[in-house]
Amino acid sequence: MDILKLKPVFKDYIWGGERLKNDFGFESDLEKIAEGWMLSCHKDGKNLIDGGEYDGESLDKVIDENTKEKIAGKRSLDFPYFPVLIKLIDAKDNLSIQVHPDNEYAKRVENEFGKTEIWYVLDAADDAELVYGFKEKITSEEFRKAIEENTLTDVLNSVKVKKGDLFFIEAGTVHAIGKGTLIAEIQQNSNSTYRVYDYGRVGADGKPRELHIDKAVDVSKTEPPKYDIKPMGETKDCGKYKSTLLTKCDLFTVNHYEVAENITLDTDENSFNHVLVVDGKGQINDTQFKKGDSFFVPANFGKYEISGCCEIIVTNI
């Protein structure tokens, strides 16, 4: 099977902006694009193949029809459905303060997996901040009281962000992306989100957006985050490219490459690769690409070459 180019799925939320249109050149009838789902087999938005033998077919259908193990890799068999979802997020305004359940709770209550994710900051305004856990450990009762008395922001940990920061958002971590932030998000393939606080905003129907207080109190770890806000690995200068390990865990491994000339990567029987172009232009084998392009490299594909002057994020499981 050839490398598959994917069409993004776009989402229009009230906090989104215009950068995914203006900076990445995405075309959409939506007035603004809050999120571009760059790798998704989720029921709420599935990527279609752009060109080639499978043009117009959904990625999940192609994987299922060609045997999951052969296309997504042997590790995909550890999951009942495609394991990851990858997004670009443009936060023109603050996202709601929210939390995601872990696997046990989500499977029992939402009939899907939980959601652990990472955020890699692609760009941030000088005053950009986000919420990442709590300032200090509190009880669940104190958490609920802070919500009810509208003092939640007083106990949450607010962090200034800059380009290149990496946040590991383990399921149960209360969090919120702040305005002026452009992020690449790699997450479990889940859309279970419990909204805790939304700044009193109303949705398109003119009504306040739903909060999920009881579920949020059930699943939240009411303590400071335990991870540094930086990539797991140091940047290695390999001459024709620079390589940085962003995250390696039991759910996914994510690397960032800054390519000056070329780099050779590969897939084996264990996993696919997803290649997301976050800056610049070049080629993947003989196929031209530009900023915002997204490619699925099947398991067992072997070696492939990225050439040009570009930044890419490569994810496998």
Side-chain angles (χ1 to χ4, degrees), residues 142-153:
E142 290 170 326
F143 177 36
R144 182 185 290 275
K145 183 178 179 182
I147 297 170
E148 294 172 348
E149 296 182 353
N150 202 29
T151 59
L152 180 61
T153 56

Side-chain angles (χ1 to χ4, degrees), residues 99 232 248:
V99 66
M232 182 178 292
K248 183 178 180 64

Side-chain angles (χ1 to χ4, degrees), residues 2 74 147 200 232 245 250-251 258:
D2 291 336
K74 286 185 175 180
I147 297 170
M232 182 178 292
L245 174 65
D250 59 352
L251 297 169
E258 185 177 346

Side-chain angles (χ1 to χ4, degrees), residues 117-119 121 130 132 159-161 165-169 229:
E117 61 195 356
I118 68 165
W119 296 337
V121 180
L130 56 78
Y132 186 41
V159 182
K160 288 189 175 296
V161 295
D165 284 345
L166 188 286
F167 292 83
F168 190 91
I169 313 292
I229 56 171

Side-chain angles (χ1 to χ4, degrees), residues 254-309:
V254 188
N255 285 277
H256 175 272
Y257 299 102
E258 185 177 346
V259 181
E261 295 183 35
N262 58 70
I263 181 174
T264 299
L265 302 170
D266 71 327
T267 66
D268 58 20
E269 63 184 8
N270 291 313
S271 176
F272 66 91
N273 278 7
H274 178 257
V275 179
L276 176 60
V277 183
V278 295
D279 203 9
K281 59 184 179 180
Q283 292 184 191
I284 181 167
N285 285 351
D286 296 327
T287 300
Q288 299 282 337
F289 64 67
K290 64 184 185 305
K291 181 177 180 178
D293 282 346
S294 169
F295 298 93
F296 181 90
V297 185
N300 286 302
F301 186 85
K303 295 183 183 301
Y304 63 97
E305 184 176 69
I306 304 288
S307 59
C309 184

Side-chain angles (χ1 to χ4, degrees), residues 204-253:
D205 59 1
K207 299 178 181 178
R209 297 203 296 169
E210 183 182 6
L211 300 181
H212 315 93
I213 306 303
D214 290 339
K215 290 180 177 179
V217 172
D218 283 346
V219 306
S220 293
K221 299 175 181 178
T222 52
E223 59 191 20
K226 57 186 178 183
Y227 300 101
D228 291 333
I229 56 171
K230 64 179 183 179
M232 182 178 292
E234 298 296 327
T235 298
K236 299 177 181 178
D237 191 339
C238 302
K240 295 180 180 181
Y241 63 90
K242 294 179 181 179
S243 170
T244 308
L245 174 65
L246 299 184
T247 292
K248 183 178 180 64
C249 65
D250 59 352
L251 297 169
F252 39 68
T253 298

Side-chain angles (χ1 to χ4, degrees), residues 101-247:
D102 63 14
N103 287 337
E104 184 279 326
Y105 189 95
K107 284 189 284 186
R108 176 165 51 85
V109 177
E110 307 296 346
N111 197 32
E112 68 171 355
F113 268 68
K115 184 175 172 182
T116 286
E117 61 195 356
I118 68 165
W119 296 337
Y120 181 65
V121 180
L122 299 175
D123 197 18
D126 291 342
D127 59 349
E129 297 183 350
L130 56 78
V131 171
Y132 186 41
F134 289 77
K135 292 178 181 176
E136 57 186 37
K137 185 175 179 61
I138 63 174
T139 65
S140 295
E141 291 75 19
E142 290 170 326
F143 177 36
R144 182 185 290 275
K145 183 178 179 182
I147 297 170
E148 294 172 348
E149 296 182 353
N150 202 29
T151 59
L152 180 61
T153 56
D154 294 340
V155 299
L156 293 175
N157 180 41
S158 184
V159 182
K160 288 189 175 296
V161 295
K162 63 183 185 304
K163 181 178 179 179
D165 284 345
L166 188 286
F167 292 83
F168 190 91
I169 313 292
E170 193 172 40
T173 303
V174 177
H175 61 277
I177 299 173
K179 62 182 179 181
T181 311
L182 184 68
I183 281 176
E185 179 178 282
I186 294 88
Q187 58 161 92
Q188 285 181 270
N189 185 10
S190 169
N191 208 23
S192 291
T193 299
Y194 302 148
R195 196 178 292 127
V196 180
Y197 178 71
D198 198 36
Y199 310 96
R201 293 182 296 201
V202 297
D205 59 1
K207 299 178 181 178
R209 297 203 296 169
E210 183 182 6
L211 300 181
H212 315 93
I213 306 303
D214 290 339
K215 290 180 177 179
V217 172
D218 283 346
V219 306
S220 293
K221 299 175 181 178
T222 52
E223 59 191 20
K226 57 186 178 183
Y227 300 101
D228 291 333
I229 56 171
K230 64 179 183 179
M232 182 178 292
E234 298 296 327
T235 298
K236 299 177 181 178
D237 191 339
C238 302
K240 295 180 180 181
Y241 63 90
K242 294 179 181 179
S243 170
T244 308
L245 174 65
L246 299 184
T247 292

